[in-house]
Amino acid sequence: MVLEEKKTAVFQVRMRPSVKAAAEKAAADDNRSLAALMELLVIEHLKAKGYLK
């Protein structure tokens, strides 16, 4: 399962400041870090597309 895997890979992304600010607010509203929110969104997308179980 994805959640049991140790987090060792680094991923950097550039985005518009307005997108980052909105994402930071969304993360804070969900009591998450920005990194945790981004990981959650990527996992949800990959599962929806069939790349992850």
Side-chain angles (χ1 to χ4, degrees), residues 7-22:
K7 294 182 181 183
T8 59
V10 176
F11 174 75
Q12 295 180 354
V13 61
R14 292 190 183 274
M15 64 180 74
R16 291 180 216 109
S18 59
V19 173
K20 183 180 179 196

Side-chain angles (χ1 to χ4, degrees), residues 11-50:
F11 174 75
Q12 295 180 354
V13 61
R14 292 190 183 274
M15 64 180 74
R16 291 180 216 109
S18 59
V19 173
K20 183 180 179 196
E24 288 174 327
K25 174 147 181 27
D29 288 349
D30 206 23
N31 293 318
R32 298 178 186 275
S33 67
L34 179 56
L37 176 63
M38 294 296 108
E39 182 180 29
L40 175 69
L41 294 173
V42 169
I43 289 170
E44 287 178 353
H45 177 78
L46 293 173
K47 284 181 178 180
K49 295 291 184 174

